[in-house]
Amino acid sequence: MGEPLRRCTACGGWEYGGAPSCARCAALVDDIVEDAWREFLTRMLGTRPGVQGAGAGELDARGAGGHVPGAGSTGAAGDGRTAGDERAVAEMVAEEPDRHDWRVFDAALDRLTCDDCGDRLGRGLAGCPGCDLAHGFRYAAIETDRSGVPPGNEHAIRVNVSVVRRPHGISAPELLGRSLFLPFLLAGALPTTRQAQRMSALLKSGVTREEVAALVDAVSAEFSR
Ligand SMILES: [Zn+2]
Ligand SMILES: [Zn+2]
């Protein structure tokens, strides 16, 4: 099942929906991929022989100790893992997108630097060859619907998260629509094609952010769950 809708204490909209302009919502969106990465890294490095103190139990304890959203998991964590270990795992994942969950793949790209533009791989301006190539690979990664959500929900989450985290070249109305829809998708809803088209038309009619948010709330109440 999806997560319940909650108001963001920073922007007042639904949590996640204020990204990328609301820093708190943007950090929550980053956590969608970061949480999956931490879990994956624990599986990869926690079971590797010879790594002292990287047992799953200890990592779990660290996670429960209060994670700062968007802080990432590189750095001296004192658990025997190094930034080099993490980078090696990221490079491996980046080379085999079709073997990994999209959340893990997106997080791996964030840990690599583009040789062409120097930005995080896949996050540079549209038109950078290295980033465009890596960005295209994202869609080879695996999407698994959470239990109890309509089929295709995970794909919709992925597209919206991808757009919100890499908004270059996306029109303002589309970015607004995708960010405002994200909380409902995470809650387990999915618009029909007709509802999505109706929203798209409403967004293009160019009203204020508050009016658009109210429309998204109204339309989302009709989504299948
Ligand atoms: Zn917010
Ligand atoms: Zn680049």
Side-chain angles (χ1 to χ4, degrees), residues 75-104:
D79 55 15
R81 293 183 299 170
T82 67
D85 289 338
E86 185 165 6
R87 190 187 158 83
V89 173
E91 284 172 350
M92 177 201 76
V93 170
E95 283 170 12
E96 45 186 34
D98 54 328
R99 294 186 59 189
H100 301 283
D101 185 86
W102 72 271
R103 300 174 188 227
V104 170

Short mmCIF file of all heavy atoms in Angstrom, two decimals, residues 75-104:
data_model
loop_
_atom_site.label_atom_id
_atom_site.label_comp_id
_atom_site.label_asym_id
_atom_site.label_seq_id
_atom_site.Cartn_x
_atom_site.Cartn_y
_atom_site.Cartn_z
N GLY A 75 30.91 9.17 3.27
CA GLY A 75 31.57 9.82 4.39
C GLY A 75 31.95 8.82 5.46
O GLY A 75 31.66 7.64 5.36
N ALA A 76 32.58 9.34 6.49
CA ALA A 76 33.10 8.48 7.54
C ALA A 76 31.99 8.06 8.48
O ALA A 76 31.65 8.76 9.42
CB ALA A 76 34.18 9.22 8.32
N ALA A 77 31.39 6.95 8.20
CA ALA A 77 30.28 6.48 9.02
C ALA A 77 30.78 5.60 10.16
O ALA A 77 30.03 5.26 11.04
CB ALA A 77 29.27 5.72 8.16
N GLY A 78 32.04 5.23 10.10
CA GLY A 78 32.58 4.40 11.17
C GLY A 78 32.07 2.97 11.13
O GLY A 78 32.15 2.26 12.11
N ASP A 79 31.54 2.55 10.00
CA ASP A 79 31.02 1.20 9.92
C ASP A 79 31.90 0.32 9.03
O ASP A 79 31.51 -0.77 8.63
CB ASP A 79 29.58 1.21 9.40
CG ASP A 79 29.46 1.92 8.07
OD1 ASP A 79 30.49 2.16 7.42
OD2 ASP A 79 28.33 2.24 7.69
N GLY A 80 33.10 0.76 8.71
CA GLY A 80 34.01 -0.05 7.93
C GLY A 80 33.89 0.15 6.43
O GLY A 80 34.73 -0.29 5.68
N ARG A 81 32.83 0.85 6.01
CA ARG A 81 32.70 1.10 4.58
C ARG A 81 33.42 2.39 4.23
O ARG A 81 33.51 3.30 5.03
CB ARG A 81 31.23 1.25 4.20
CG ARG A 81 30.46 -0.03 4.36
CD ARG A 81 29.03 0.13 3.91
NE ARG A 81 28.35 1.14 4.70
CZ ARG A 81 27.16 1.62 4.41
NH1 ARG A 81 26.53 1.21 3.34
NH2 ARG A 81 26.58 2.50 5.16
N THR A 82 33.93 2.47 3.03
CA THR A 82 34.58 3.71 2.61
C THR A 82 33.84 4.26 1.40
O THR A 82 33.05 3.57 0.76
CB THR A 82 36.03 3.44 2.20
OG1 THR A 82 36.02 2.64 1.02
CG2 THR A 82 36.81 2.74 3.29
N ALA A 83 34.13 5.54 1.10
CA ALA A 83 33.53 6.16 -0.07
C ALA A 83 33.96 5.40 -1.33
O ALA A 83 33.21 5.31 -2.30
CB ALA A 83 33.95 7.62 -0.16
N GLY A 84 35.18 4.82 -1.28
CA GLY A 84 35.66 4.04 -2.42
C GLY A 84 34.83 2.79 -2.65
O GLY A 84 34.51 2.43 -3.78
N ASP A 85 34.45 2.11 -1.55
CA ASP A 85 33.59 0.93 -1.66
C ASP A 85 32.27 1.31 -2.32
O ASP A 85 31.77 0.64 -3.21
CB ASP A 85 33.25 0.36 -0.26
CG ASP A 85 34.45 -0.31 0.39
OD1 ASP A 85 35.37 -0.71 -0.34
OD2 ASP A 85 34.46 -0.40 1.64
N GLU A 86 31.70 2.42 -1.84
CA GLU A 86 30.39 2.85 -2.32
C GLU A 86 30.47 3.22 -3.80
O GLU A 86 29.59 2.89 -4.59
CB GLU A 86 29.90 4.04 -1.49
CG GLU A 86 28.50 4.47 -1.85
CD GLU A 86 27.88 5.39 -0.82
OE1 GLU A 86 28.59 5.80 0.12
OE2 GLU A 86 26.69 5.70 -0.96
N ARG A 87 31.55 3.90 -4.17
CA ARG A 87 31.72 4.30 -5.56
C ARG A 87 31.85 3.08 -6.47
O ARG A 87 31.30 3.04 -7.57
CB ARG A 87 32.96 5.20 -5.69
CG ARG A 87 33.05 5.85 -7.04
CD ARG A 87 34.36 6.59 -7.24
NE ARG A 87 34.59 6.73 -8.68
CZ ARG A 87 34.04 7.68 -9.41
NH1 ARG A 87 33.27 8.57 -8.86
NH2 ARG A 87 34.25 7.74 -10.72
N ALA A 88 32.56 2.07 -5.99
CA ALA A 88 32.74 0.85 -6.78
C ALA A 88 31.38 0.17 -7.02
O ALA A 88 31.10 -0.31 -8.13
CB ALA A 88 33.70 -0.10 -6.08
N VAL A 89 30.55 0.16 -5.99
CA VAL A 89 29.21 -0.42 -6.14
C VAL A 89 28.40 0.41 -7.13
O VAL A 89 27.71 -0.13 -8.01
CB VAL A 89 28.47 -0.51 -4.78
CG1 VAL A 89 27.03 -0.95 -4.98
CG2 VAL A 89 29.20 -1.48 -3.85
N ALA A 90 28.51 1.74 -7.04
CA ALA A 90 27.77 2.63 -7.94
C ALA A 90 28.20 2.40 -9.39
O ALA A 90 27.36 2.36 -10.30
CB ALA A 90 27.99 4.09 -7.54
N GLU A 91 29.50 2.23 -9.61
CA GLU A 91 29.99 2.00 -10.98
C GLU A 91 29.46 0.68 -11.53
O GLU A 91 29.07 0.58 -12.69
CB GLU A 91 31.52 2.01 -10.99
CG GLU A 91 32.08 3.42 -10.89
CD GLU A 91 33.59 3.45 -10.71
OE1 GLU A 91 34.19 2.38 -10.47
OE2 GLU A 91 34.15 4.56 -10.81
N MET A 92 29.42 -0.34 -10.66
CA MET A 92 28.89 -1.63 -11.09
C MET A 92 27.41 -1.51 -11.49
O MET A 92 27.00 -1.98 -12.55
CB MET A 92 29.05 -2.64 -9.95
CG MET A 92 28.47 -4.02 -10.26
SD MET A 92 28.13 -4.95 -8.76
CE MET A 92 26.62 -4.15 -8.19
N VAL A 93 26.64 -0.83 -10.64
CA VAL A 93 25.20 -0.68 -10.91
C VAL A 93 24.97 0.11 -12.20
O VAL A 93 24.12 -0.24 -13.03
CB VAL A 93 24.50 0.02 -9.72
CG1 VAL A 93 23.07 0.41 -10.08
CG2 VAL A 93 24.50 -0.90 -8.50
N ALA A 94 25.77 1.16 -12.41
CA ALA A 94 25.59 2.02 -13.58
C ALA A 94 25.82 1.26 -14.88
O ALA A 94 25.30 1.63 -15.93
CB ALA A 94 26.54 3.22 -13.50
N GLU A 95 26.60 0.19 -14.80
CA GLU A 95 26.91 -0.59 -16.01
C GLU A 95 25.87 -1.65 -16.31
O GLU A 95 25.90 -2.28 -17.36
CB GLU A 95 28.30 -1.25 -15.87
CG GLU A 95 29.41 -0.24 -16.08
CD GLU A 95 30.77 -0.80 -15.71
OE1 GLU A 95 30.87 -2.03 -15.51
OE2 GLU A 95 31.71 0.01 -15.62
N GLU A 96 24.98 -1.91 -15.37
CA GLU A 96 23.99 -2.96 -15.58
C GLU A 96 22.60 -2.52 -15.11
O GLU A 96 22.04 -3.11 -14.18
CB GLU A 96 24.42 -4.26 -14.88
CG GLU A 96 24.93 -4.06 -13.47
CD GLU A 96 25.49 -5.33 -12.84
OE1 GLU A 96 26.08 -6.17 -13.55
OE2 GLU A 96 25.33 -5.48 -11.61
N PRO A 97 22.05 -1.48 -15.77
CA PRO A 97 20.75 -0.94 -15.32
C PRO A 97 19.64 -1.96 -15.30
O PRO A 97 18.77 -1.92 -14.42
CB PRO A 97 20.45 0.17 -16.35
CG PRO A 97 21.34 -0.10 -17.51
CD PRO A 97 22.56 -0.77 -16.96
N ASP A 98 19.65 -2.91 -16.25
CA ASP A 98 18.55 -3.85 -16.35
C ASP A 98 18.55 -4.88 -15.21
O ASP A 98 17.62 -5.68 -15.10
CB ASP A 98 18.58 -4.57 -17.71
CG ASP A 98 19.92 -5.23 -17.98
OD1 ASP A 98 20.96 -4.69 -17.53
OD2 ASP A 98 19.95 -6.29 -18.62
N ARG A 99 19.56 -4.85 -14.35
CA ARG A 99 19.60 -5.81 -13.23
C ARG A 99 19.22 -5.16 -11.91
O ARG A 99 19.24 -5.82 -10.88
CB ARG A 99 21.00 -6.41 -13.11
CG ARG A 99 21.37 -7.28 -14.30
CD ARG A 99 22.68 -7.98 -14.08
NE ARG A 99 22.66 -8.81 -12.88
CZ ARG A 99 23.73 -9.39 -12.35
NH1 ARG A 99 24.90 -9.22 -12.91
NH2 ARG A 99 23.64 -10.14 -11.27
N HIS A 100 18.90 -3.86 -11.93
CA HIS A 100 18.64 -3.17 -10.67
C HIS A 100 17.35 -2.37 -10.68
O HIS A 100 16.90 -1.92 -11.72
CB HIS A 100 19.82 -2.24 -10.35
CG HIS A 100 21.11 -2.98 -10.25
ND1 HIS A 100 21.45 -3.73 -9.15
CD2 HIS A 100 22.12 -3.12 -11.14
CE1 HIS A 100 22.63 -4.30 -9.36
NE2 HIS A 100 23.07 -3.95 -10.56
N ASP A 101 16.80 -2.18 -9.49
CA ASP A 101 15.62 -1.34 -9.33
C ASP A 101 15.98 0.09 -9.73
O ASP A 101 17.10 0.55 -9.49
CB ASP A 101 15.19 -1.37 -7.85
CG ASP A 101 13.90 -0.62 -7.63
OD1 ASP A 101 12.83 -1.24 -7.81
OD2 ASP A 101 13.95 0.59 -7.29
N TRP A 102 15.02 0.79 -10.32
CA TRP A 102 15.29 2.16 -10.81
C TRP A 102 15.76 3.08 -9.69
O TRP A 102 16.56 3.98 -9.92
CB TRP A 102 14.07 2.74 -11.52
CG TRP A 102 12.94 3.11 -10.60
CD1 TRP A 102 11.92 2.30 -10.20
CD2 TRP A 102 12.73 4.37 -9.96
NE1 TRP A 102 11.08 2.99 -9.34
CE2 TRP A 102 11.55 4.25 -9.19
CE3 TRP A 102 13.41 5.59 -9.97
CZ2 TRP A 102 11.04 5.31 -8.42
CZ3 TRP A 102 12.91 6.65 -9.21
CH2 TRP A 102 11.74 6.50 -8.44
N ARG A 103 15.25 2.85 -8.49
CA ARG A 103 15.63 3.74 -7.37
C ARG A 103 17.13 3.57 -7.08
O ARG A 103 17.85 4.54 -6.85
CB ARG A 103 14.82 3.41 -6.13
CG ARG A 103 13.31 3.59 -6.34
CD ARG A 103 12.51 3.11 -5.11
NE ARG A 103 11.09 3.09 -5.39
CZ ARG A 103 10.16 3.60 -4.59
NH1 ARG A 103 10.50 4.18 -3.47
NH2 ARG A 103 8.88 3.54 -4.91
N VAL A 104 17.57 2.31 -7.09
CA VAL A 104 18.99 2.02 -6.85
C VAL A 104 19.84 2.57 -8.00
O VAL A 104 20.90 3.16 -7.78
CB VAL A 104 19.18 0.49 -6.69
CG1 VAL A 104 20.66 0.12 -6.68
CG2 VAL A 104 18.50 0.01 -5.41
#
